[in-house]
Coordinates of all heavy atoms in Angstrom, one line a residue:
M1 N 10.0 -72.8 34.7 CA 8.7 -73.4 34.6 C 7.7 -72.5 34.1 O 7.6 -71.3 34.5 CB 8.3 -74.0 36.0 CG 6.9 -74.5 36.0 SD 6.4 -75.0 37.6 CE 6.8 -76.7 37.5
A2 N 6.9 -72.9 33.1 CA 5.9 -72.1 32.5 C 4.6 -72.0 33.4 O 4.3 -73.0 34.1 CB 5.5 -72.6 31.1
R3 N 4.0 -70.9 33.4 CA 2.7 -70.7 34.2 C 1.7 -70.2 33.2 O 2.0 -69.4 32.3 CB 2.9 -69.8 35.3 CG 3.8 -70.3 36.4 CD 4.0 -69.3 37.5 NE 5.1 -69.7 38.3 CZ 5.0 -70.0 39.6 NH1 3.9 -69.9 40.2 NH2 6.1 -70.4 40.2
V4 N 0.5 -70.6 33.4 CA -0.6 -70.1 32.6 C -1.6 -69.3 33.4 O -2.0 -69.8 34.5 CB -1.4 -71.3 31.9 CG1 -2.6 -70.8 31.1 CG2 -0.4 -72.1 31.1
I5 N -1.9 -68.1 32.9 CA -2.9 -67.3 33.6 C -3.9 -66.9 32.5 O -3.6 -66.5 31.4 CB -2.3 -66.0 34.1 CG1 -1.2 -66.3 35.2 CG2 -3.3 -65.0 34.7 CD1 -0.4 -65.1 35.6
S6 N -5.2 -67.1 32.8 CA -6.2 -66.8 31.8 C -7.2 -65.8 32.3 O -7.5 -65.8 33.5 CB -7.0 -68.1 31.4 OG -7.4 -68.9 32.5
V7 N -7.6 -64.9 31.4 CA -8.6 -63.9 31.7 C -9.8 -64.2 30.8 O -9.7 -64.1 29.6 CB -8.1 -62.5 31.4 CG1 -9.1 -61.4 31.7 CG2 -6.8 -62.3 32.2
I8 N -10.9 -64.6 31.4 CA -12.1 -65.1 30.7 C -13.3 -64.4 31.2 O -13.6 -64.3 32.4 CB -12.3 -66.6 30.8 CG1 -11.0 -67.3 30.2 CG2 -13.5 -67.0 30.0 CD1 -11.1 -68.8 30.5
N9 N -14.1 -63.8 30.3 CA -15.4 -63.3 30.6 C -16.1 -63.2 29.3 O -15.7 -62.5 28.4 CB -15.3 -61.9 31.3 CG -16.6 -61.5 31.9 OD1 -17.7 -61.8 31.4 ND2 -16.6 -60.7 33.0
L10 N -17.3 -63.8 29.2 CA -18.0 -63.9 27.9 C -18.8 -62.6 27.6 O -19.2 -62.4 26.5 CB -18.9 -65.1 27.9 CG -18.2 -66.4 28.1 CD1 -19.2 -67.6 28.1 CD2 -17.2 -66.6 27.0
K11 N -19.0 -61.7 28.6 CA -19.7 -60.5 28.3 C -18.8 -59.6 27.5 O -17.6 -59.6 27.5 CB -20.0 -59.8 29.6 CG -21.2 -60.3 30.4 CD -21.5 -59.5 31.6 CE -22.0 -58.1 31.1 NZ -22.4 -57.3 32.2
G12 N -19.4 -58.7 26.7 CA -18.7 -57.7 25.9 C -18.5 -56.5 26.7 O -19.3 -56.1 27.6
G13 N -17.4 -55.8 26.4 CA -17.2 -54.5 27.1 C -16.8 -54.5 28.5 O -17.1 -53.6 29.3
V14 N -16.1 -55.6 28.9 CA -15.7 -55.7 30.4 C -14.2 -55.5 30.5 O -13.7 -55.6 31.6 CB -16.2 -57.0 31.0 CG1 -17.7 -57.1 31.1 CG2 -15.6 -58.2 30.2
G15 N -13.5 -55.1 29.5 CA -12.1 -54.8 29.6 C -11.1 -56.0 29.6 O -10.1 -55.9 30.1
K16 N -11.5 -57.1 28.9 CA -10.7 -58.2 28.8 C -9.3 -58.0 28.2 O -8.3 -58.3 28.7 CB -11.4 -59.4 28.1 CG -12.6 -59.9 28.7 CD -13.3 -61.0 27.9 CE -13.8 -60.5 26.5 NZ -15.0 -59.6 26.6
T17 N -9.3 -57.3 27.1 CA -8.1 -57.0 26.4 C -7.2 -56.0 27.2 O -6.0 -56.2 27.4 CB -8.4 -56.3 25.0 OG1 -9.1 -57.3 24.2 CG2 -7.1 -56.1 24.2
T18 N -7.8 -55.0 27.8 CA -7.1 -54.0 28.6 C -6.4 -54.7 29.8 O -5.3 -54.5 30.1 CB -8.0 -52.9 29.1 OG1 -8.6 -52.3 27.9 CG2 -7.3 -51.9 29.8
I19 N -7.2 -55.5 30.5 CA -6.7 -56.2 31.7 C -5.5 -57.2 31.3 O -4.5 -57.3 31.9 CB -7.8 -57.0 32.4 CG1 -8.7 -56.0 33.0 CG2 -7.2 -58.0 33.4 CD1 -10.0 -56.7 33.6
T20 N -5.7 -57.9 30.1 CA -4.7 -58.9 29.7 C -3.4 -58.2 29.3 O -2.3 -58.6 29.7 CB -5.3 -59.7 28.5 OG1 -6.5 -60.3 28.9 CG2 -4.2 -60.7 28.0
V21 N -3.5 -57.1 28.6 CA -2.3 -56.4 28.2 C -1.6 -55.8 29.4 O -0.4 -55.8 29.5 CB -2.6 -55.3 27.1 CG1 -1.4 -54.4 26.8 CG2 -3.1 -56.0 25.8
A22 N -2.4 -55.2 30.3 CA -1.8 -54.5 31.5 C -1.1 -55.6 32.4 O 0.0 -55.4 32.9 CB -2.8 -53.8 32.2
L23 N -1.8 -56.7 32.5 CA -1.2 -57.8 33.4 C 0.1 -58.4 32.7 O 1.0 -58.6 33.4 CB -2.3 -58.9 33.5 CG -1.9 -60.1 34.4 CD1 -1.5 -59.6 35.8 CD2 -3.0 -61.1 34.4
S24 N 0.1 -58.5 31.4 CA 1.2 -59.0 30.7 C 2.4 -58.1 30.9 O 3.5 -58.5 31.2 CB 1.0 -59.2 29.2 OG -0.1 -60.1 29.0
E25 N 2.1 -56.8 30.8 CA 3.2 -55.8 30.9 C 3.7 -55.7 32.3 O 5.0 -55.7 32.5 CB 2.6 -54.4 30.6 CG 3.7 -53.3 30.6 CD 3.1 -51.9 30.3 OE1 1.8 -51.8 30.2 OE2 3.9 -51.0 30.3
F26 N 2.9 -55.8 33.3 CA 3.3 -55.8 34.7 C 4.2 -57.1 35.0 O 5.2 -56.9 35.6 CB 2.1 -55.8 35.6 CG 2.4 -56.1 37.1 CD1 3.0 -55.1 37.8 CD2 2.2 -57.3 37.6 CE1 3.4 -55.3 39.2 CE2 2.6 -57.5 39.0 CZ 3.1 -56.5 39.7
L27 N 3.7 -58.2 34.6 CA 4.4 -59.5 34.9 C 5.8 -59.5 34.2 O 6.8 -59.9 34.8 CB 3.6 -60.7 34.5 CG 2.4 -61.0 35.3 CD1 1.6 -62.1 34.7 CD2 2.8 -61.3 36.8
S28 N 5.8 -59.0 33.0 CA 7.1 -58.9 32.3 C 8.1 -58.0 33.0 O 9.3 -58.3 33.1 CB 6.8 -58.4 30.8 OG 8.1 -58.1 30.2
Y29 N 7.6 -56.8 33.4 CA 8.5 -55.9 34.1 C 8.9 -56.4 35.5 O 10.0 -56.3 35.9 CB 7.8 -54.5 34.2 CG 8.5 -53.5 35.0 CD1 9.6 -52.8 34.3 CD2 8.3 -53.2 36.3 CE1 10.3 -51.9 35.0 CE2 9.0 -52.2 37.0 CZ 10.0 -51.6 36.3 OH 10.7 -50.6 37.0
E30 N 7.9 -56.9 36.2 CA 8.2 -57.3 37.6 C 9.1 -58.5 37.7 O 10.0 -58.5 38.6 CB 6.8 -57.6 38.3 CG 6.9 -57.9 39.8 CD 7.2 -56.7 40.6 OE1 6.9 -55.6 40.1 OE2 7.6 -56.8 41.8
F31 N 9.0 -59.5 36.9 CA 9.8 -60.7 37.0 C 10.9 -60.7 35.9 O 11.6 -61.7 35.8 CB 8.9 -61.9 36.9 CG 8.0 -62.0 38.0 CD1 6.6 -61.7 37.8 CD2 8.4 -62.4 39.3 CE1 5.7 -61.8 38.9 CE2 7.5 -62.4 40.3 CZ 6.2 -62.1 40.2
D32 N 11.0 -59.7 35.1 CA 12.1 -59.6 34.0 C 12.1 -60.9 33.2 O 13.1 -61.5 32.9 CB 13.4 -59.4 34.7 CG 14.5 -59.0 33.7 OD1 14.1 -58.3 32.7 OD2 15.7 -59.3 33.8
K33 N 10.9 -61.2 32.7 CA 10.7 -62.4 31.8 C 9.9 -62.0 30.6 O 9.3 -61.0 30.6 CB 9.9 -63.5 32.6 CG 10.5 -64.0 33.8 CD 11.6 -65.0 33.5 CE 12.1 -65.6 34.8 NZ 13.2 -66.5 34.6
K34 N 10.0 -62.8 29.6 CA 9.2 -62.6 28.4 C 7.8 -63.2 28.6 O 7.6 -64.2 29.3 CB 9.8 -63.3 27.2 CG 11.1 -62.7 26.8 CD 11.6 -63.4 25.5 CE 13.0 -62.8 25.1 NZ 13.5 -63.4 23.9
V35 N 6.8 -62.5 28.1 CA 5.4 -62.9 28.3 C 4.7 -63.0 26.9 O 4.9 -62.2 26.0 CB 4.6 -61.8 29.1 CG1 3.1 -62.2 29.2 CG2 5.2 -61.7 30.5
L36 N 4.0 -64.1 26.7 CA 3.3 -64.3 25.4 C 1.8 -64.1 25.7 O 1.2 -64.9 26.5 CB 3.5 -65.7 24.9 CG 2.7 -66.1 23.7 CD1 3.0 -65.2 22.5 CD2 3.0 -67.6 23.3
A37 N 1.1 -63.2 25.1 CA -0.3 -62.9 25.3 C -1.0 -63.3 24.0 O -0.6 -62.9 22.9 CB -0.6 -61.5 25.6
I38 N -1.9 -64.2 24.1 CA -2.7 -64.7 22.9 C -4.1 -64.2 23.1 O -4.8 -64.6 24.0 CB -2.7 -66.2 22.8 CG1 -1.2 -66.7 22.6 CG2 -3.5 -66.7 21.6 CD1 -1.1 -68.2 22.7
L39 N -4.5 -63.3 22.2 CA -5.9 -62.7 22.3 C -6.7 -63.3 21.1 O -6.3 -63.2 20.0 CB -5.8 -61.2 22.2 CG -4.9 -60.5 23.2 CD1 -4.8 -59.0 22.9 CD2 -5.5 -60.7 24.6
Q40 N -7.9 -63.8 21.4 CA -8.7 -64.5 20.4 C -10.0 -63.7 20.3 O -10.7 -63.5 21.3 CB -9.0 -65.9 20.8 CG -9.9 -66.6 19.7 CD -10.2 -68.0 20.1 OE1 -9.8 -68.5 21.2 NE2 -11.0 -68.7 19.3
Y41 N -10.3 -63.2 19.1 CA -11.6 -62.5 18.9 C -12.5 -63.4 18.1 O -12.1 -63.9 17.0 CB -11.3 -61.2 18.1 CG -10.4 -60.2 18.9 CD1 -9.0 -60.2 18.7 CD2 -11.0 -59.5 19.9 CE1 -8.3 -59.3 19.5 CE2 -10.2 -58.6 20.7 CZ -8.9 -58.5 20.4 OH -8.1 -57.7 21.2
I42 N -13.7 -63.5 18.5 CA -14.7 -64.3 17.8 C -15.7 -63.5 17.2 O -16.2 -62.5 17.7 CB -15.3 -65.4 18.8 CG1 -14.3 -66.3 19.3 CG2 -16.4 -66.1 18.1 CD1 -14.8 -67.2 20.4

């Protein structure tokens, strides 16, 4: 079953990309699953 986790903060410089990549890496390693991270830059 797919799960969706979102990291949202509209302020700049709060580490959204860093948190997203670190969380993706942790979940992939911890649960031995593939993780798709979609980063959108406006």
